[in-house]
Amino acid sequence: MRIDIVSVFPEYLAPLQLSLIGKAATAGVLDIAVHDLRNWTTDKHRTVDDTPFGGGAGMVMKPDVWGRAIDDLATEDTVLVLPTPSGEVFTQGIAESLKAEQHLLFACGRYEGIDARVAEHYAASGMTVRELSLGDYVLNGGEVAALVMVEAIGRLVPGVIGNPESLVEESHGPDGLLEYPVYTKPPQWRGLNVPDVLLSGHHAKVAQWRQQQARERTAARRPDLWAKIQG
Ligand code: 6GU
């Protein structure tokens, strides 16, 4: 999978060189490149934003600069991802739907966002355009959101995670339940015991206990998810 990320703060994306995603990039499983949006400016001051039509606070990112960047980087099979707090909420299901794409192009907006005609133009041109939000809170720009999405999608690409078994029985998997609690040695720590059933060696009982814990956790912590499972 090829991943391009365009930002006015390319240094913000440095963590992509670390850990499993960084290793996958080094190994060639993921081909990740980060670009400075200002490379596509044409004026002396390398301007990327301007005041909003209709008035209001803040600045809006210019469509002409973004258009040149996206035209240069996009291919026949690009999915254009626009991280924005006004997007559809990014979920494990969306990560799954993007894991087999040839090319993801992340356009990280700052300030009050990117001129709306950019999304409109590329969608009308036949490109798949996904405006995606991490959740119901506001960040200063799309960079951290792009980091989150690249990690969530990238770890689903075959070869990125050494042991594919790690991908089963996770929170937000197909059963819709949160993950059960996990424990390791020592069996006693600061007066707290690991639940007896986990030390019993009784695999069926362990599975039954984990299932029950996952259900209790989901009901207590995520009534929204629990309602979907019941419904
Ligand atoms: Cl994708 N971008 C920004 N700027 N804020 C957010 C977000 C994205 N998702 C949640 N808040």
Side-chain angles (χ1 to χ4, degrees):
M1 175 187 282
R2 166 85 183 176
I3 300 175
D4 286 290
I5 306 172
V6 183
S7 163
V8 286
F9 293 120
E11 318 83 62
Y12 235 108
L13 286 307
L16 291 175
Q17 291 160 40
L18 305 173
S19 192
L20 287 174
I21 298 296
K23 282 197 191 115
T26 305
V29 181
L30 298 177
D31 178 11
I32 304 179
V34 178
H35 311 268
D36 188 339
L37 177 67
R38 291 190 205 276
N39 294 342
W40 287 277
T41 57
T42 53
D43 65 317
K44 188 175 75 184
H45 296 107
R46 310 184 84 197
T47 309
V48 295
D49 60 350
D50 207 335
T51 54
F53 278 123
M59 300 290 270
V60 174
M61 296 189 103
K62 291 164 62 60
D64 52 326
V65 181
W66 275 111
R68 283 190 293 273
I70 296 166
D71 286 350
D72 272 355
L73 295 171
T75 67
E76 283 283 87
D77 28 51
T78 296
V79 174
L80 178 61
V81 180
L82 301 168
T84 166
S86 45
E88 176 187 1
V89 175
F90 180 73
T91 60
Q92 189 66 26
I94 293 178
E96 291 280 353
S97 76
L98 295 174
K99 73 179 179 193
E101 292 294 342
Q102 288 294 311
H103 184 212
L104 303 180
L105 172 50
F106 287 85
C108 299
R110 282 261 144 186
Y111 321 113
E112 298 307 307
I114 301 174
D115 187 301
R117 289 169 293 182
V118 172
E120 188 183 338
H121 167 77
Y122 288 102
S125 82
M127 193 179 289
T128 300
V129 177
R130 304 292 303 261
E131 295 189 73
L132 299 174
S133 167
L134 291 188
D136 297 339
Y137 42 84
V138 178
L139 305 171
N140 287 332
E143 286 77 9
V144 168
L147 285 174
V148 168
M149 295 179 204
V150 167
E151 181 159 320
I153 298 162
R155 64 193 292 284
L156 301 176
V157 173
V160 173
I161 297 224
N163 180 4
E165 295 260 329
S166 310
L167 297 176
V168 299
E169 287 199 30
E170 285 185 317
S171 293
H172 306 295
D175 67 5
L177 292 171
L178 301 182
E179 200 174 3
Y180 48 77
V182 296
Y183 302 87
T184 186
K185 293 173 275 301
Q188 256 206 350
W189 177 75
R190 299 194 182 183
L192 300 173
N193 293 335
V194 172
D196 282 335
V197 61
L198 298 180
L199 310 176
S200 71
H202 194 304
H203 295 302
K205 280 191 181 155
V206 168
Q208 190 186 25
W209 180 86
R210 285 176 168 168
Q211 168 77 7
Q212 185 55 27
Q213 289 289 312
R215 294 168 62 83
E216 285 175 19
R217 262 192 175 186
T218 307
R221 297 178 179 185
R222 293 296 302 274
D224 57 324
L225 298 180
W226 187 243
K228 278 197 239 175
I229 296 164
Q230 301 310 296

